[in-house]
Amino acid sequence: MAGKYLPKFEYRAIAQFRRVPTEFEEIYNSPLRLWKTSKTAYNPATITRNDLTNFFVLNPLGGVGPHRLDIYAKTVNEFLSGGPLYQLARKNGLEITNQSSAELVKESTKLYQAQKGLIGQIFSKVGDFHRAVVKHYGSQDKFFKLANFIKGITEDGLTPADAMRRANFYLVDYSEVPQLIEWARKSPLGVPFISFTYGVSKP
């Protein structure tokens, strides 16, 4: 990439990979991630509110109303079978724009790391369960974005890139937030869940 231009979001994404967090940041971020996971992926009320908001508010704003059961049925089929439309959506960023990817990127903390003997077996199973819960939570975002993407491709004449761009606009793209929002999300003085508030404010 030397000597080449990158749009700012792509550059920031790569720069974040290059930067190694300090020990203090890791000490702070680990419990923060665990706390946020408990308030989101492990919280039935949050999951229910997300689904209702996506189904009755955000996706209808993006053109996929609750009455479009045919679109949702096709989405279920693509989602479960990993069909061609699902694969096309993945190639255009479906996997990297949901909250589980952008905010819950570490699927386990030191609490779930492998130990020896019987304790290791127990914590290994807890870690597997934790990863499954986080993956399920992230799948909600992906499902509704995929529904919007499918309608964009099959009915609205959008290119795959434009269809995914529209889905991310109406259903929150957690991978692209201003640096101020990023700071507020992680800062002890900030607002941990501000990414969602910022994301839904646009549509």
Side-chain angles (χ1 to χ4, degrees), residues 80-98:
L80 296 179
S81 66
L85 289 175
Y86 176 74
Q87 298 302 327
L88 186 61
R90 289 186 69 226
K91 289 180 180 179
N92 283 272
L94 178 66
E95 299 283 359
I96 64 173
T97 62
N98 59 64

Side-chain angles (χ1 to χ4, degrees), residues 88-128:
L88 186 61
R90 289 186 69 226
K91 289 180 180 179
N92 283 272
L94 178 66
E95 299 283 359
I96 64 173
T97 62
N98 59 64
Q99 187 178 13
S100 68
S101 294
E103 295 195 344
L104 307 175
V105 64
K106 288 197 173 180
E107 294 180 333
S108 61
T109 65
K110 292 181 180 179
L111 177 65
Y112 303 116
Q113 289 182 353
Q115 306 294 325
K116 295 182 179 180
L118 179 61
I119 294 179
Q121 296 177 20
I122 294 174
F123 278 105
S124 175
K125 295 184 185 302
V126 172
D128 291 342

Side-chain angles (χ1 to χ4, degrees), residues 53-54 58 96-99 103 141 145 165-177 194-203:
T53 301
N54 288 337
L58 298 181
I96 64 173
T97 62
N98 59 64
Q99 187 178 13
E103 295 195 344
D141 284 344
K145 287 182 181 181
R165 188 176 295 113
R166 184 181 72 176
N168 283 328
F169 177 81
Y170 287 102
L171 292 153
V172 186
D173 181 354
Y174 288 95
S175 70
E176 292 194 1
V177 294
I194 195 172
S195 298
F196 177 80
T197 305
Y198 168 79
V200 299
S201 70
K202 293 190 292 182

Side-chain angles (χ1 to χ4, degrees), residues 14-97:
I14 294 175
Q16 287 176 353
F17 284 115
R18 293 174 57 201
R19 183 181 177 280
V20 179
T22 65
E23 185 175 353
F24 173 78
E25 286 175 322
E26 280 300 307
I27 293 173
Y28 170 73
N29 287 333
S30 290
L32 177 64
R33 281 191 296 265
L34 188 61
W35 176 74
K36 291 187 72 172
T37 305
S38 71
K39 297 289 287 183
T40 54
Y42 283 93
N43 190 334
T46 300
I47 293 172
T48 301
R49 282 195 298 268
N50 282 353
D51 286 339
L52 290 174
T53 301
N54 288 337
F55 187 66
F56 287 109
V57 181
L58 298 181
N59 229 357
L61 287 176
V64 187
H67 66 286
R68 292 305 309 269
L69 299 182
D70 56 326
I71 294 292
Y72 284 111
K74 184 179 295 185
T75 304
V76 170
N77 181 60
E78 288 287 325
F79 200 81
L80 296 179
S81 66
L85 289 175
Y86 176 74
Q87 298 302 327
L88 186 61
R90 289 186 69 226
K91 289 180 180 179
N92 283 272
L94 178 66
E95 299 283 359
I96 64 173
T97 62

